[in-house]
Amino acid sequence: MNLELTDEQQALREAATGALSRVADYEVLRDALEGAARPENWGLVAEQGWAGLLVSEANGGAELSLFDAMLLLIEAGKLLVSHELLGHLPATTLLDAASYPGTADYAEGTKRAAFLAARPPGDVETAWTVEARSGSARAAAPTLNADGTVSGEVAWVVDAPGADLLVGVAVDGSGTAKTVAIETGASGVSIEGPVLRYDSSRLLGNVSLSNAPATVLEGADPARAWYVAQALLAAESYGAVETALTVSVEYAKERYTFGRPIGSYQAMKHGLVEILRQRENAYAVMLYAGWSYEDKPEEFALAASAARTAAGHALDYAARQQIATHGGIGATWEHDAPLFFRRSQLSRRLLGGIGDSTDRVAGELLAA
Amino acid sequence: MNLELTDEQQALREAATGALSRVADYEVLRDALEGAARPENWGLVAEQGWAGLLVSEANGGAELSLFDAMLLLIEAGKLLVSHELLGHLPATTLLDAASYPGTADYAEGTKRAAFLAARPPGDVETAWTVEARSGSARAAAPTLNADGTVSGEVAWVVDAPGADLLVGVAVDGSGTAKTVAIETGASGVSIEGPVLRYDSSRLLGNVSLSNAPATVLEGADPARAWYVAQALLAAESYGAVETALTVSVEYAKERYTFGRPIGSYQAMKHGLVEILRQRENAYAVMLYAGWSYEDKPEEFALAASAARTAAGHALDYAARQQIATHGGIGATWEHDAPLFFRRSQLSRRLLGGIGDSTDRVAGELLAA
Amino acid sequence: MDLNDTPEQAQYRAQVRAWLEEHKSEAPDVEALSEDDVVPARRAWQGKLAEGGLAGVTWPQEFGGQGKGPIEQVIVNQEIAAAGVPGILDVIGLGMLGPCLIAHGTDEQKSRYLGPMLHGDEVWCQLFSEPAAGSDLAAVQAKATQQDDGTWRLTGQKVWTTNAQFASYGLLLARTDADVPKHKGLTMFVVPMDADGITIRGLRQISGEAEFNEVFFDDVALDADAVVGGVGNGWGTALTVLMFERLTIGLGAEGFGYNAARFTKAVAQDEHARRDPEVRQRLGEINTELLAIRFQSYRVLSALSQGAIPGPEAGLAKVTTVKAAIDAGELIADVIGPDALDEDSEWAYMISFLPGLKSAGGTEEILRNTIGERVLGLPPEPRLDKGVPFSELRSIEKQGAPA
Amino acid sequence: MDLNDTPEQAQYRAQVRAWLEEHKSEAPDVEALSEDDVVPARRAWQGKLAEGGLAGVTWPQEFGGQGKGPIEQVIVNQEIAAAGVPGILDVIGLGMLGPCLIAHGTDEQKSRYLGPMLHGDEVWCQLFSEPAAGSDLAAVQAKATQQDDGTWRLTGQKVWTTNAQFASYGLLLARTDADVPKHKGLTMFVVPMDADGITIRGLRQISGEAEFNEVFFDDVALDADAVVGGVGNGWGTALTVLMFERLTIGLGAEGFGYNAARFTKAVAQDEHARRDPEVRQRLGEINTELLAIRFQSYRVLSALSQGAIPGPEAGLAKVTTVKAAIDAGELIADVIGPDALDEDSEWAYMISFLPGLKSAGGTEEILRNTIGERVLGLPPEPRLDKGVPFSELRSIEKQGAPA
């Protein structure tokens, strides 16, 4: 048993830190909140070879493990760097599994794909569902029409604007879910976005499909892609928790009140240790997700849902604690803490939301 | 506006404290946990005139307000004194409203009634329901047969063993809920109990009715009685919170660790202040329940459910904090803190449970 | 126990209502006004309310007030809310700073400042907090030095100042003696906000709006008679303001617009959510806390009308309000989804602003300390700054050693 | 990242499994035995395990151990669990006290005590905590005074002692010098539990069972060679025990029987509850924490096998375990109703016992302090007891004044 990072993983992480810190800039994110363009780092992603991380070598990718991809997302999350990997990577696992023609372009990053995320059936809810535009009821997944085209609406699709290809689920007349790939340039495809300027590092779009031509991808498992997305979002959230903790601890050592550094007070100290506790829990479950993806696939749905839950809650807590640690100043526009808060608030509600991943943890175990 | 206690209320409370402290004894409760008899204080209840608190003077009672009865239950809760008022008082409001023959006996306490508690329909659940023996689904209320007899099962009925009369709800063939009174000595009535020796100050029974002769009480509102029971349980819980706080604060001043009294540490201090915060919230909502019972009856369901919720959560928190404050010693058999913990655990799950009262707070406002 | 008006109160309520009925058409429509026009319009309306006896309800009559009690103040608040017109603009001045001047000001200060404050001719702001003196208010560093002619020169920085951008005067806490322990070398001043050397800068919050200001003082000249409450007595004078602040909070928790009906409505509109047990459980808990807040403010009022002054535990109402509103924001955004975070959403501002509110007005931690010590009688934290001259404090702090 | 056995580990596992397969019929059926017979039967079984090399896996071979690593220890634990037989009885002795003797004992102590301990012939108990010295362990008051002949007389009281009622020896921390600061005047002793002057009293818990004991020492005579680790070095010797305790906790969190499958099954049996979103949300959160615990113990193991020693943050696993199990107890009792609290219920003991566990083994607050300071590097609380002779401490404490 060895859960330490391998030398290759250490190298991957260090390379990622180096490359990402060249583009990381909180000031740019604040400007983007006020209308400036969202920072685009796809060029860097392609150049670093990250686009093909999860694509097999046969299809032109690097064929690394899911945990390697999670390590990269941790580093991106630490610095709140925007990327389009949350949409692209799960999509490429489906392209790769079906050996979709032109997968190599997506592995190289000359083209970009987005995952049209659909939640698989569970122990209670038996249908494939997608994000609704508003409200707590989930929407039906798009329909695969008899003529092979796809129709339907999917809201809040991560990284959809500007993507070349959408990869997701459509349900045919017999109720069977099929994995489909849809060129965004095709007729009947409309992507509204970027929508929602709340977390300016995040790229979201609302997708409308009206008899859009689609290719059915045989051999691809769209449920697995959903959980890949959950695991990646967990990793990205975990990275943000790391920064929130580091920054808060530093401040708590330096800031004095009533003659003592604030970090010497139990309320502050215990709150910071609570971030640590939740962070450690999240990392442990992320290990589970990474390990089960390849070595215990029947537990991957559980592990990825648990990772999303643990990391999401950890970020919820850490982002608030970061503001509280910094007192009034932590809630001001110029401070960086609000950027982490915005990240936590929006992430909590994407890809089914944390409530859904938590429900799935229960559902997977109840059905076992 | 005046929310202070009146002189009469002060006098009632002081008299109650005096009378109750003569019978209060934690040692007896511990003995009862091991098989000795539960302390019976009905004689005291009758002697003090508490049995008829909520019965009108015309029917032989004291015709005091619900808040007066709540004040009495606060005092009983403070000392963990056992009484049978949680079952008796709601039952007498129904007897009184219908001027049931012999109500005076119940007001005087020469006889004792128990409320066969039934939860009224809500905005989602449209049936009258009662406690099931086990499990999270609630059971159907007893049936009022065509011949006027009643059949059904009601579990965990507070103060049923030894009662002379059961007063509750039965649903007739047309689905209409009727208030019924059932002599416990009649044929077809079986009361198993006392059951559950977990909180030895509490008297519980499982009621089985098989074509039991019943009197329909016209003019009585059984929904109101359900909420009276909720408000009284809130008051009793609130009293226990008061003691838990007082005792814990005293200990936190006296016990030293690392050269300081433990109450000087923020974690301890903030935890004790949290009890205070929840206690104050509970009292405020109890005022709402007491006031609305007479002056704003359309809000009484909301107010009583909120009071139960606030006081119940406060006791959950206070009982755990009391143990934590006392360190290891607080979890030992000889200590009194476990008695409060047992009180909190069982109260939480009686009369629909706190989850149900919380749901009702939402339901009342959602339906408004 | 009685929540209803006495006959006298009912009569007063009718009188207030009648005045509002007659004058409400004169009230400004704040939503319809441009940003620049709102403040002048609200100042003018405050003047009308003052003429009608609806401002300074609890101020003594000799200073233009009505000499009435807190219940009458609440009656006025309730009737203003019911009439759907704006209340007074200068809540801080009339609620906290004016009463402090009444308690500690000289006769000249009272006659000069109170009238224009009451009528909205001069708005006031409170200049207490500093970047390094928030919850530890006695650590203020803004320094006022007395000149040979008795006047003062003031240098320093204040922060979290509401209304500074249009205030005429501020009440400012400054250090006038660094060689005595920190609570002892403080003095309170009246500062004309248009004085040379004052710079005001809006401080944008996480939500994107400038709720507060930073105010910089660069060698600002103050007259000798700017001192309120005596040189070296600033801490006691500040406590008076804080007591009136607590009173305002104790009475006004529902005034933030955080109430059960509003939150419930957001959930009720979603047919799926309103039947979801998990959503209902959270909603029930939030609403229970909000109902508690309402009846707690009635309790405070009841105590006040019996002549009692609310203790520090009244601050718990703020803790509960902020907690319930944060929980409500989370719930509503969980129900609505990302759309709730959109700039145009009714909820985005509340969700983003509240985390900061937890730290405003003395952090929750300090409040819990105070209540634990003053209400429950728990022993204090060891203090490393007791009895130490302010000028030596920082070096001792840096050593981290007990004094 | 690899969770699987190496070839060497797989081979060791096969060897352990084979031994268990051959001998498991000799294991006692604890459920079937009377209360009095359980301990002797488990002691004998521990002896068999020791003979088979399944006890003292990580002890050096010179003391009868196997000289193997923590992973092998876990492999043994896993295989014993899989075989459905009891493990060793004296977990405290073999896991914590034996390793301490190996580190700090004299040669005579090692040769006298380790063998019988390993084979279950002599069970040991840990005599550290006192009524006034729980989380503040250095505050122990039990007093050992050296006699002219070099022997000692011991008087005092210990509490929370597991296994005292059948232990042959105890490792006891006593104060031998009250005139030096509190960490400095302590000494560790081996105490024969059958000595004159020792009284053992079962300490019943909230759940009704006697999990622990109080032990009273009334002028108990101890030989001169009862000292472990040198006079005045008791604090350092105690820290060794605590480090091994932390290691045991870090590896064994799931060993309490608190695991996701068991809790989920209780909910799954209730058709109404298993579809209730509120129940599922709580269950999902609890299970996430329990899964985290499992993979955290793998991480600890992985680090150990790389030669690293787990830091104080390993204690967070205990915090999470207790939290998750308390939450699970609440959930299950909410689902089942009052019946879950019945004596015969599978859950009553867990629900009632856990609140006390939160305070056991150093309260959660102290653990969070330690981790905040040692792992995050946060500044310590001001300490009022530093450098003060123990004998003067109480009067200073009572004054509440800084030292």
Side-chain angles (χ1 to χ4, degrees):
Chain A
M1 175 182 295
N2 184 5
L3 294 178
E4 310 305 304
L5 298 186
T6 62
D7 291 346
E8 291 76 15
Q9 286 174 328
Q10 292 278 17
L12 170 76
R13 202 170 68 168
E14 278 158 30
T17 309
L20 291 166
S21 47
R22 287 201 301 274
V23 299
D25 189 339
Y26 296 143
E27 202 52 55
V28 170
L29 294 179
R30 264 188 291 273
D31 291 345
L33 283 175
E34 303 203 89
R38 165 181 176 274
E40 287 271 359
N41 299 310
W42 188 254
L44 178 73
V45 167
E47 169 200 315
Q48 295 287 325
W50 297 332
L53 264 187
L54 296 182
V55 174
S56 61
E57 289 185 10
N59 285 321
E63 200 170 324
L64 294 187
S65 74
L66 174 60
F67 200 73
D68 293 324
M70 290 166 73
L71 289 174
L72 171 60
L73 274 273
I74 290 174
E75 298 306 310
K78 272 188 194 169
L79 298 163
L80 298 185
V81 169
S82 60
H83 53 79
E84 288 79 29
L85 292 168
L86 209 49
H88 181 78
L89 288 178
T92 59
T93 65
L94 295 170
L95 297 179
D96 186 46
S99 291
Y100 179 76
T103 298
D105 293 340
Y106 294 94
E108 281 162 23
T110 48
K111 287 187 173 177
R112 185 161 73 72
F115 178 45
L116 201 60
R119 178 188 187 271
D123 63 324
V124 170
E125 170 72 68
T126 55
W128 284 85
T129 59
V130 296
E131 309 291 307
R133 183 61 192 267
S134 187
S136 68
R138 292 185 59 80
T143 308
L144 180 60
N145 302 315
D147 64 358
T149 64
V150 172
S151 299
E153 311 273 333
V154 188
W156 313 110
V157 180
V158 179
D159 299 330
D164 300 287
L165 191 72
L166 300 171
V167 188
V169 166
V171 177
D172 70 14
S174 73
T176 308
K178 300 283 187 183
T179 308
V180 292
I182 299 161
E183 301 278 344
T184 55
S187 65
V189 180
S190 139
I191 301 176
E192 179 203 0
V195 291
L196 195 63
R197 204 192 290 280
Y198 184 81
D199 170 357
S200 56
S201 56
R202 191 70 84 196
L203 177 62
L204 299 174
N206 293 323
V207 173
S208 256
L209 304 170
S210 171
N211 297 315
T215 308
V216 172
L217 302 184
E218 301 294 349
D221 178 356
R224 203 161 180 240
W226 169 265
Y227 295 113
V228 166
Q230 302 288 325
L232 293 174
L233 185 52
E236 195 195 42
S237 300
Y238 174 88
V241 173
E242 285 220 333
T243 303
L245 179 58
T246 309
V247 167
S248 300
V249 165
E250 279 315 303
Y251 189 78
K253 290 178 189 173
E254 285 163 14
R255 168 85 184 188
Y256 278 68
T257 184
F258 299 108
R260 287 166 50 186
I262 59 173
S264 74
Y265 291 96
Q266 274 194 335
M268 184 66 70
K269 191 176 287 174
H270 292 187
L272 295 171
V273 171
E274 178 63 13
I275 303 182
L276 178 70
R277 185 183 77 85
Q278 296 197 26
R279 192 195 76 181
E280 293 294 289
N281 281 354
Y283 191 79
V285 194
M286 282 161 52
L287 285 173
Y288 182 26
W291 171 71
S292 63
Y293 182 68
E294 272 137 32
D295 286 357
K296 199 93 170 176
E298 69 276 20
E299 293 183 19
F300 180 57
L302 170 64
S305 302
R308 167 81 194 274
T309 299
H313 282 312
L315 181 53
D316 276 356
Y317 184 85
R320 290 193 188 282
Q321 190 66 36
Q322 186 182 9
I323 290 174
T325 303
H326 288 80
I329 201 75
T332 54
W333 183 263
E334 286 82 359
H335 202 272
D336 303 329
L339 298 173
F340 287 82
F341 180 75
R342 287 169 179 270
R343 166 61 64 89
S344 76
Q345 285 293 310
L346 181 54
S347 290
R348 176 185 168 94
R349 288 156 186 126
L350 293 177
L351 291 165
I354 293 182
D356 191 65
S357 69
T358 310
D359 188 88
R360 183 56 60 117
V361 173
E364 285 292 318
L365 283 161
L366 283 166
Chain B
M1 175 182 297
N2 184 4
L3 294 180
E4 310 303 307
L5 298 187
T6 62
D7 290 346
E8 292 76 14
Q9 288 174 327
Q10 292 277 16
L12 168 76
R13 202 170 67 167
E14 279 159 29
T17 308
L20 291 166
S21 46
R22 287 200 302 277
V23 299
D25 190 340
Y26 297 143
E27 204 51 58
V28 169
L29 294 179
R30 263 189 292 272
D31 291 346
L33 282 176
E34 303 205 87
R38 165 181 175 273
E40 286 271 1
N41 299 309
W42 187 254
L44 178 74
V45 167
E47 169 201 315
Q48 295 287 324
W50 296 335
L53 265 186
L54 296 183
V55 174
S56 60
E57 289 185 10
N59 285 323
E63 201 170 324
L64 294 186
S65 74
L66 174 62
F67 200 73
D68 294 323
M70 290 166 73
L71 290 174
L72 171 59
L73 274 274
I74 290 174
E75 298 306 311
K78 270 187 196 170
L79 298 163
L80 299 185
V81 168
S82 59
H83 53 79
E84 288 78 29
L85 292 168
L86 210 49
H88 182 78
L89 289 177
T92 60
T93 64
L94 295 170
L95 298 178
D96 185 47
S99 292
Y100 179 76
T103 298
D105 293 340
Y106 293 94
E108 281 163 21
T110 50
K111 287 188 175 176
R112 184 161 76 70
F115 176 47
L116 201 60
R119 179 188 186 270
D123 62 325
V124 170
E125 170 74 67
T126 55
W128 283 84
T129 59
V130 296
E131 308 293 307
R133 182 62 190 268
S134 188
S136 68
R138 292 185 59 80
T143 308
L144 180 60
N145 303 315
D147 64 359
T149 64
V150 172
S151 299
E153 311 273 335
V154 187
W156 313 110
V157 180
V158 180
D159 298 329
D164 300 286
L165 191 72
L166 300 171
V167 189
V169 166
V171 177
D172 70 14
S174 73
T176 308
K178 300 282 188 186
T179 308
V180 291
I182 300 161
E183 301 278 344
T184 55
S187 65
V189 180
S190 141
I191 301 177
E192 178 203 1
V195 290
L196 194 65
R197 203 192 291 280
Y198 184 82
D199 171 359
S200 57
S201 56
R202 191 71 83 196
L203 178 62
L204 299 175
N206 293 324
V207 173
S208 256
L209 303 171
S210 172
N211 296 315
T215 309
V216 172
L217 302 184
E218 301 294 348
D221 178 357
R224 203 163 181 237
W226 170 263
Y227 295 112
V228 166
Q230 301 288 327
L232 294 174
L233 185 52
E236 196 195 40
S237 300
Y238 173 88
V241 173
E242 285 219 333
T243 303
L245 179 58
T246 309
V247 167
S248 301
V249 165
E250 278 317 302
Y251 188 79
K253 288 179 191 172
E254 286 162 15
R255 168 86 183 187
Y256 278 69
T257 185
F258 299 107
R260 286 165 52 184
I262 59 173
S264 74
Y265 291 97
Q266 272 193 336
M268 185 66 69
K269 191 175 286 173
H270 292 187
L272 295 171
V273 170
E274 178 62 14
I275 304 181
L276 178 70
R277 185 184 77 86
Q278 296 197 27
R279 192 196 76 182
E280 293 294 288
N281 281 353
Y283 192 80
V285 195
M286 282 162 54
L287 286 171
Y288 181 26
W291 170 71
S292 63
Y293 182 68
E294 272 138 31
D295 287 356
K296 200 94 172 175
E298 69 276 19
E299 293 181 19
F300 179 57
L302 170 64
S305 302
R308 166 83 194 273
T309 299
H313 282 311
L315 181 53
D316 276 354
Y317 184 86
R320 289 193 188 281
Q321 190 66 36
Q322 186 182 8
I323 290 174
T325 304
H326 289 79
I329 201 75
T332 55
W333 182 262
E334 286 83 1
H335 202 271
D336 303 330
L339 298 173
F340 287 83
F341 180 74
R342 287 167 179 270
R343 166 61 63 88
S344 76
Q345 285 293 310
L346 182 56
S347 291
R348 175 186 169 93
R349 287 153 188 129
L350 293 177
L351 291 165
I354 292 182
D356 191 65
S357 70
T358 309
D359 188 86
R360 183 57 60 118
V361 172
E364 285 291 319
L365 282 161
L366 283 166
Chain C
M1 196 176 71
D2 185 6
L3 274 171
N4 305 320
D5 287 342
T6 62
E8 295 74 27
Q9 288 161 358
Q11 191 188 343
Y12 181 69
R13 187 185 292 279
Q15 174 193 328
V16 170
R17 192 175 295 177
W19 187 92
L20 282 164
E21 192 55 44
E22 189 183 334
H23 295 87
K24 73 178 177 187
S25 61
E26 302 161 36
D29 179 357
V30 174
E31 301 291 320
L33 289 172
S34 75
E35 212 172 306
D36 291 344
D37 294 336
V38 167
V39 170
R42 289 197 57 187
R43 284 172 55 174
W45 174 239
Q46 178 176 326
K48 289 216 176 70
L49 289 170
E51 283 163 29
L54 276 64
V57 176
T58 59
W59 283 25
Q61 290 183 324
E62 59 178 306
F63 304 121
Q66 302 298 312
K68 296 197 175 289
I71 298 210
E72 284 76 11
Q73 176 69 64
V74 170
I75 288 173
V76 167
N77 295 352
Q78 289 172 340
E79 292 302 319
I80 285 177
V85 298
I88 56 169
L89 172 66
D90 191 6
V91 176
I92 293 168
L94 269 61
M96 292 150 59
L97 308 184
C100 176
L101 284 177
I102 291 169
H104 298 289
T106 62
D107 289 344
E108 290 72 26
Q109 287 169 338
K110 294 179 197 175
S111 71
R112 164 63 188 86
Y113 298 123
L114 291 172
M117 181 194 286
L118 183 63
H119 289 83
D121 297 329
E122 293 168 354
V123 174
W124 282 60
C125 62
Q126 177 188 338
L127 298 159
F128 287 14
S129 292
E130 297 183 5
S135 48
D136 183 8
L137 187 58
V140 295
Q141 296 179 321
K143 189 176 169 188
T145 312
Q146 196 158 23
Q147 310 299 303
D148 294 343
D149 63 355
T151 66
W152 300 80
R153 309 295 294 194
L154 169 69
T155 295
Q157 181 191 349
K158 296 289 175 180
V159 75
W160 314 124
T161 314
T162 307
N163 296 350
Q165 70 274 32
F166 51 77
S168 303
Y169 290 95
L171 199 66
L172 180 140
L173 189 64
R175 184 159 309 279
T176 46
D177 185 352
D179 296 327
V180 294
K182 64 183 190 178
H183 292 80
K184 303 201 170 162
L186 300 169
T187 302
M188 192 72 78
F189 294 92
V190 172
V191 177
M193 294 300 287
D194 59 357
D196 286 344
I198 296 184
T199 311
I200 299 167
R201 185 170 157 262
L203 194 58
R204 294 180 66 192
Q205 291 303 100
I206 186 170
S207 55
E209 313 208 11
E211 298 284 335
F212 304 109
N213 299 277
E214 293 176 292
V215 187
F216 300 87
F217 302 88
D218 179 14
D219 203 28
V220 174
L222 298 175
D223 290 342
D225 60 5
V227 172
V228 179
V231 174
N233 296 331
W235 182 244
T237 313
L239 286 184
T240 304
V241 174
L242 297 180
M243 194 201 69
F244 283 106
E245 181 177 23
R246 188 192 300 155
L247 204 151
T248 310
I249 288 172
L251 288 181
E254 277 211 319
F256 298 110
Y258 302 147
N259 64 67
R262 179 167 166 239
F263 294 145
T264 304
K265 194 175 152 204
V267 173
Q269 286 165 349
D270 188 310
E271 276 307 318
H272 182 266
R274 68 179 290 161
R275 300 175 71 90
D276 181 317
E278 197 255 341
V279 169
R280 293 166 65 93
Q281 199 66 209
R282 290 162 70 187
L283 183 65
E285 281 169 12
I286 293 162
N287 284 341
T288 297
E289 297 214 299
L290 292 166
L291 292 171
I293 290 303
R294 181 185 304 165
F295 280 81
Q296 252 163 26
S297 73
Y298 293 154
R299 276 186 86 190
V300 169
L301 200 54
S302 167
L304 281 170
S305 68
Q306 311 293 313
I309 291 195
E313 68 274 22
L316 290 174
K318 188 199 142 198
V319 172
T320 301
T321 303
V322 173
K323 176 186 175 303
I326 286 177
D327 290 347
E330 286 291 27
L331 174 62
I332 290 168
D334 283 348
V335 165
I336 294 175
D339 233 9
L341 304 173
D342 190 85
E343 282 168 44
D344 295 335
S345 156
E346 175 185 359
W347 306 106
Y349 172 77
M350 180 178 99
I351 291 167
S352 296
F353 179 66
L354 283 171
L357 197 61
K358 250 178 115 76
S359 324
T363 64
E364 189 175 320
E365 279 72 24
I366 302 300
L367 182 68
R368 286 188 189 256
N369 275 2
T370 305
I371 294 169
E373 290 159 24
R374 304 252 301 277
V375 180
L376 297 180
L378 291 168
E381 291 268 336
R383 287 284 292 266
L384 304 185
D385 56 352
K386 252 188 192 152
V388 181
F390 184 78
S391 54
E392 295 169 21
L393 206 50
R394 198 37 58 110
S395 59
I396 288 167
E397 285 175 357
K398 286 296 177 194
Q399 291 165 26
Chain D
M1 195 175 73
D2 185 6
L3 275 171
N4 305 317
D5 286 341
T6 62
E8 294 75 28
Q9 289 161 356
Q11 191 189 342
Y12 181 69
R13 187 185 292 278
Q15 173 192 331
V16 169
R17 192 175 295 177
W19 188 93
L20 283 164
E21 192 54 45
E22 188 182 335
H23 295 88
K24 73 178 178 188
S25 60
E26 303 160 36
D29 179 358
V30 174
E31 299 293 319
L33 290 171
S34 77
E35 212 171 307
D36 290 344
D37 294 337
V38 167
V39 170
R42 289 197 57 187
R43 284 171 56 174
W45 174 239
Q46 178 175 327
K48 289 216 177 67
L49 289 171
E51 284 161 27
L54 276 63
V57 176
T58 60
W59 284 24
Q61 291 182 324
E62 58 177 308
F63 305 120
Q66 301 300 311
K68 294 198 178 289
I71 298 209
E72 284 75 14
Q73 176 69 66
V74 169
I75 287 173
V76 167
N77 295 351
Q78 288 172 341
E79 292 302 318
I80 285 177
V85 297
I88 56 170
L89 172 66
D90 191 5
V91 175
I92 293 169
L94 268 61
M96 293 150 57
L97 307 184
C100 176
L101 284 177
I102 291 169
H104 297 290
T106 61
D107 289 343
E108 291 72 25
Q109 288 168 337
K110 292 179 200 175
S111 70
R112 164 62 189 86
Y113 297 123
L114 291 172
M117 179 193 285
L118 183 64
H119 289 83
D121 298 328
E122 294 168 354
V123 174
W124 282 61
C125 62
Q126 177 187 341
L127 297 159
F128 286 14
S129 292
E130 298 183 4
S135 48
D136 184 8
L137 187 57
V140 295
Q141 295 179 321
K143 190 177 169 188
T145 313
Q146 196 157 23
Q147 309 300 301
D148 293 342
D149 63 355
T151 66
W152 301 80
R153 309 296 292 193
L154 169 69
T155 295
Q157 180 191 351
K158 296 290 175 179
V159 75
W160 315 123
T161 314
T162 306
N163 296 350
Q165 69 275 30
F166 51 76
S168 304
Y169 290 94
L171 198 66
L172 180 140
L173 189 64
R175 185 161 306 281
T176 46
D177 185 352
D179 297 325
V180 294
K182 63 183 190 179
H183 291 80
K184 303 201 167 161
L186 299 168
T187 301
M188 192 72 78
F189 293 92
V190 172
V191 178
M193 294 301 287
D194 59 358
D196 285 346
I198 296 184
T199 311
I200 299 167
R201 186 170 157 261
L203 193 59
R204 294 180 66 193
Q205 291 303 100
I206 186 172
S207 55
E209 314 207 9
E211 299 284 335
F212 305 108
N213 300 276
E214 293 176 292
V215 186
F216 300 87
F217 303 87
D218 180 12
D219 202 27
V220 175
L222 297 175
D223 290 340
D225 60 4
V227 172
V228 179
V231 175
N233 296 332
W235 182 245
T237 313
L239 286 185
T240 303
V241 174
L242 297 180
M243 195 200 69
F244 283 106
E245 180 177 23
R246 188 192 301 156
L247 204 151
T248 310
I249 289 173
L251 289 181
E254 276 209 321
F256 298 110
Y258 303 147
N259 63 66
R262 179 167 168 240
F263 295 145
T264 303
K265 193 176 153 202
V267 172
Q269 286 164 349
D270 189 310
E271 277 305 318
H272 182 265
R274 68 178 291 160
R275 300 176 70 90
D276 181 317
E278 197 255 342
V279 170
R280 293 167 64 93
Q281 199 66 209
R282 290 163 69 188
L283 183 65
E285 282 168 12
I286 291 162
N287 284 341
T288 297
E289 297 213 302
L290 292 166
L291 292 171
I293 291 302
R294 180 184 304 165
F295 280 81
Q296 252 161 28
S297 73
Y298 293 155
R299 277 185 84 189
V300 169
L301 200 54
S302 167
L304 281 170
S305 68
Q306 311 294 312
I309 292 195
E313 69 274 21
L316 290 174
K318 189 199 142 198
V319 172
T320 301
T321 304
V322 173
K323 177 186 176 302
I326 286 177
D327 290 347
E330 286 292 28
L331 174 61
I332 290 168
D334 282 349
V335 165
I336 294 175
D339 233 9
L341 304 174
D342 191 85
E343 281 167 44
D344 295 334
S345 157
E346 173 185 359
W347 306 106
Y349 171 77
M350 180 179 100
I351 291 168
S352 296
F353 178 68
L354 283 171
L357 197 61
K358 251 179 113 78
S359 323
T363 64
E364 187 174 320
E365 279 72 23
I366 302 300
L367 181 68
R368 285 187 189 256
N369 274 3
T370 305
I371 293 169
E373 290 158 25
R374 304 252 300 277
V375 181
L376 297 181
L378 292 167
E381 294 266 336
R383 288 282 292 266
L384 304 185
D385 56 352
K386 255 191 190 147
V388 181
F390 185 76
S391 55
E392 295 170 21
L393 206 50
R394 197 39 56 109
S395 60
I396 287 168
E397 286 176 356
K398 288 295 179 195
Q399 293 165 23

